[in-house]
Amino acid sequence: SDAMVPAVINLLPESQIFEDVTGKMEIGDVVQIFQQGGMTDFSKERRLSYGYTNSAIWLRVAVENRQSSYQTRYLGSMRPELYTFNMYQVESGQVTKVWQGGLKATGQSDQALGRLPYFSVSLPPNSSQVFYFEIRSKLSLTLVLNSLSPVEYVSFYQVADVTHFFYFGTVMSLVMY
């Protein structure tokens, strides 16, 4: 029997991190840095906030499915203000798929599913897939990286949208008043 999978999984403790202070590196450069041992385990770094920075933060995480059936997960961040939040699937050192999220998304690949940068992935049974995340912000950069079940994803979005529209509805009411 398959073990119960948590609805929300914080992926940061299992990830590896690299800060590109130039902000100019591409995914191929970062994969090479990982292969040369240049990424740090997040559990050692434990830095969640980078303040106002021009750096690009790169995270690498292996997402596992220990179930005997396919599993759909939503990988991403609850931070809506991120300028770039791209996800790359990498197999044998080669990028096999690209998802784009954040305010800079161009529409040239799979997009985030809404205001928040979350991407749907289907994980094959008893497998592990490697994903890299490129994160940039023109505002203060704080790291959040989660894996959500489909039910938790819908619930999370409902709360986020109600809060978002309540806030702006209240502001508009005050302006009109």
Side-chain angles (χ1 to χ4, degrees), residues 10-132:
N10 178 2
L11 296 175
L12 285 176
E14 306 303 319
S15 68
Q16 294 172 303
I17 189 167
F18 176 76
E19 181 179 3
D20 168 19
V21 294
T22 68
K24 295 180 181 178
M25 291 186 168
E26 300 288 329
I27 181 63
D29 302 321
V30 177
V31 169
Q32 193 171 36
I33 286 169
F34 166 74
Q35 291 169 339
Q36 296 169 353
M39 294 187 91
T40 305
D41 288 343
F42 186 83
S43 59
K44 293 178 185 166
E45 177 79 17
R46 304 187 106 197
R47 183 175 172 193
L48 292 175
S49 181
Y50 287 80
Y52 295 91
T53 180
N54 291 321
S55 295
I57 305 301
W58 291 86
L59 297 171
R60 179 192 182 275
V61 65
V63 179
E64 295 182 350
N65 176 11
R66 296 180 183 162
Q67 307 293 318
S68 59
S69 58
Y70 274 85
Q71 188 180 99
T72 299
R73 298 297 291 188
Y74 293 85
L75 309 180
S77 176
M78 64 178 165
R79 306 292 302 196
E81 76 284 357
L82 296 172
Y83 184 67
T84 301
F85 189 91
N86 295 336
M87 183 172 83
Y88 305 87
Q89 183 175 0
V90 176
E91 296 174 9
S92 302
Q94 299 297 313
V95 175
T96 56
K97 189 164 184 182
V98 177
W99 293 262
Q100 289 186 335
L103 303 173
K104 186 185 174 196
T106 63
Q108 297 175 352
S109 62
D110 286 347
Q111 293 274 19
L113 300 170
R115 237 177 8 93
L116 304 177
Y118 276 93
F119 309 105
S120 175
V121 295
S122 181
L123 303 168
N126 302 307
S127 69
S128 177
Q129 293 184 2
V130 174
F131 297 96
Y132 285 76

Side-chain angles (χ1 to χ4, degrees), residues 133-145:
F133 295 86
E134 173 188 7
I135 306 167
R136 301 168 193 261
S137 180
K138 301 231 179 218
L139 302 172
S140 180
L141 193 150
T142 301
L143 297 178
V144 176
L145 184 61

